[in-house]
Amino acid sequence: MALIVQKYGGTSVGTPERIQAVADKVIQYRNQGHKVVVVVSAMSGETDRLLGLASSVSDRPVPRELDVLLATGEQATIALLSMALQARDCPARSYTGHQVHILTDGAYNKARIQEIDGKRVMSDLDAGRVVVVAGFQGVDAQGDITTLGRGGSDTTAVALAAALKADECQIFTDVDGVYTTDPRVVPTARRLDRITFEEMLEMASLGSKVLQIRAVEFAGKYNVPLRVLSSFEEGEGTLITYEDEGMEQALISGIAFNRDEAKLTALGVPDQPGVAHLLLGPVAEANIEVDMIVQNVAPDGNTTDFTFTVHRNDYRRALEILQKVAGEMGAREVVGDEKIVKISLVGVGMRSHAGIASTMFKALAAEGINIRMISTSEIKVSVVVDEKYLELGVRALHEAFHLDQAAGA
């Protein structure tokens, strides 16, 4: 018997028929004696429809009013799911973020949760009800509706689980867990039984779309066991938790990749103190996030080549800024490339094993794949390669590290 928070995404509640199926699944858990809180997203496509409505009446919708509009998507879903549960003689009660008092800061469209008052929810659970909460939304100190940004329902679910001291937070989605890599790229990719918070954070930040990164951060901070499951088929899914010292740990848990990369290089920049700040300061001021950075000092010791990567959507703007700044500094040339990708190995097993990077480089070299940039951390090795080699590179690495086999197999 446990207190479980379940989250169902837009695809899982995308039609009345799917909402009925979710109701059946929730009742299964309740019939096993569990207390169940359900967090839901808006029905698939509804948020985009509401954004379209907003743009039809205003080129620049006021953020406060946009949040009022967007929050209605989840409000419809909580009412429909509660109706479906009640029609099956299952006591249920729906709540908006405001009613549960999910307190956030005042950053409309991308608010962050500050606290949750769980008394009302616990009272309903103790009375035998299923509680259905609108994800993605909250209320600020002034009583205004706020939304948490894309994927915010995952964060709502984890925050609720933390506030209620739930035994587990289950994220139901259209995949049955976290895989060693994208099965569409590598058909032999294997579903992981478990993965650590650290590894999942890296995977999420590097391009894995299974979970929203803020939700993983929240779960790790408050030690909320997190499980990814499929809404459409039965299974154990993937448990995300702290590292178990007694568990045999694979060297590599997964391969993440990001297609949305672009690279910029300032060649022949005078080598002087503060060069990185002079080049990247204006880029940061333009709210452009920089990822990987490499600096090479020329043999003459007087100039340096400075390379960094940004999101592909920011490439043109970053290029204009760099050309201006590097020109003022007397750089020889600025070049760029938006046909690159990043491939990353992730695994806490790296901490205690040498040779991971060497194996990675050897596998890529065997396929004739040239590495443009390298970045490492304690549990990650990332490389930038030409876009055309993405799938070949991922497949080669998946095979080189035997990721189609379970640890110890």
Side-chain angles (χ1 to χ4, degrees):
M1 306 308 112
L3 197 169
I4 298 172
V5 175
Q6 299 183 334
K7 180 263 177 176
Y8 294 90
T11 306
S12 304
V13 293
T15 65
E17 292 75 23
R18 289 186 174 176
I19 289 174
Q20 302 274 17
V22 166
D24 290 334
K25 191 177 287 288
V26 170
I27 288 172
Q28 283 178 16
Y29 280 85
R30 182 174 178 274
N31 288 345
Q32 293 169 12
H34 301 309
K35 294 179 178 179
V36 185
V37 177
V38 184
V39 175
V40 291
S41 299
M43 297 171 74
S44 183
E46 180 64 7
T47 301
D48 287 336
R49 186 186 74 85
L50 293 171
L51 284 169
L53 283 175
S55 64
S56 71
V57 298
S58 172
D59 292 334
R60 285 182 158 187
V62 174
R64 179 187 183 279
E65 305 310 328
L66 188 60
D67 275 359
V68 172
L69 176 66
L70 295 181
T72 64
E74 282 71 19
Q75 189 168 327
T77 315
I78 59 172
L80 290 169
L81 178 57
S82 296
M83 291 174 192
L85 288 166
Q86 291 158 2
R88 289 160 170 74
D89 295 323
C90 174
R93 181 165 288 173
S94 65
Y95 287 111
T96 64
H98 180 94
Q99 290 171 313
V100 180
H101 197 65
I102 298 175
L103 182 67
T104 74
D105 61 22
Y108 299 116
N109 311 154
K110 53 181 179 181
R112 289 188 172 270
I113 295 173
Q114 295 179 332
E115 66 177 44
I116 294 177
D117 183 355
K119 295 191 189 72
R120 201 168 177 184
V121 173
M122 287 304 303
S123 177
D124 276 326
L125 291 174
D126 291 340
R129 299 187 184 96
V130 170
V131 178
V132 185
V133 179
F136 175 68
Q137 62 182 253
V139 59
D140 67 13
Q142 282 68 50
D144 289 336
I145 293 171
T146 56
T147 64
L148 309 180
R150 287 286 188 174
S153 292
D154 285 358
T155 307
T156 302
V158 174
L160 263 173
L164 300 172
K165 295 181 171 52
D167 295 281
E168 190 168 281
C169 181
Q170 301 174 340
I171 307 293
F172 285 86
T173 181
D174 52 1
V175 296
D176 64 343
V178 180
Y179 277 72
T180 50
T181 195
D182 190 335
R184 291 170 296 186
V185 173
V186 182
T188 57
R190 178 177 51 85
R191 181 182 59 78
L192 299 166
D193 292 328
R194 59 195 299 157
I195 188 172
T196 68
F197 287 121
E198 282 182 281
E199 290 168 326
M200 194 64 237
L201 266 176
E202 292 284 9
M203 296 281 278
S205 67
L206 294 167
S208 174
K209 302 294 193 289
V210 176
L211 278 175
Q212 210 248 5
I213 189 167
R214 278 168 59 192
V216 183
E217 289 173 339
F218 217 108
K221 181 178 180 180
Y222 292 99
N223 194 17
V224 176
L226 199 55
R227 189 179 296 273
V228 179
L229 297 144
S230 169
S231 299
F232 309 113
E233 56 186 88
E234 295 300 319
E236 293 298 311
T238 299
L239 178 65
I240 303 159
T241 185
Y242 280 112
E243 187 175 354
D244 183 351
E245 292 181 5
M247 182 178 73
E248 183 169 4
Q249 183 63 54
L251 295 183
I252 303 299
S253 290
I255 302 172
F257 55 85
N258 193 342
R259 302 176 189 269
D260 301 322
E261 297 278 324
K263 176 166 68 82
L264 299 117
T265 302
L267 298 166
V269 180
D271 187 27
Q272 61 192 50
V275 65
H277 172 68
L278 290 171
L279 289 171
L280 295 182
V283 175
E285 288 168 10
N287 202 28
I288 297 173
E289 188 174 334
V290 172
D291 184 13
M292 297 170 68
I293 302 171
V294 173
Q295 184 174 354
N296 295 312
V297 178
D300 62 13
N302 297 320
T303 61
T304 184
D305 295 340
F306 195 91
T307 303
F308 61 94
T309 62
V310 297
H311 193 283
R312 200 171 291 183
N313 290 346
D314 294 321
Y315 172 71
R316 294 293 169 191
R317 199 154 49 102
L319 181 61
E320 290 175 6
I321 294 169
L322 187 62
Q323 285 172 333
K324 181 177 184 295
V325 175
E328 292 171 351
M329 294 176 64
R332 184 173 73 251
E333 184 183 7
V334 170
V335 295
D337 185 357
E338 47 185 336
K339 294 188 181 300
I340 60 163
V341 293
K342 180 169 68 174
I343 303 174
S344 305
L345 298 178
V346 176
V348 295
M350 288 187 200
R351 288 184 177 131
S352 54
H353 291 82
I356 299 294
S358 176
T359 302
M360 180 187 201
F361 303 155
K362 181 180 178 182
L364 294 175
E367 298 294 342
I369 301 173
N370 191 27
I371 297 172
R372 305 292 184 187
M373 298 175 72
I374 302 168
S375 172
T376 64
S377 73
E378 194 178 23
I379 66 166
K380 175 194 71 179
V381 182
S382 296
V383 296
V384 167
V385 301
D386 291 342
E387 184 178 48
K388 62 184 178 181
Y389 293 124
L390 171 63
E391 297 194 4
L392 176 62
V394 172
R395 286 194 294 267
L397 293 173
H398 202 272
E399 183 177 345
F401 287 95
H402 310 292
L403 292 183
D404 57 335
Q405 302 170 20

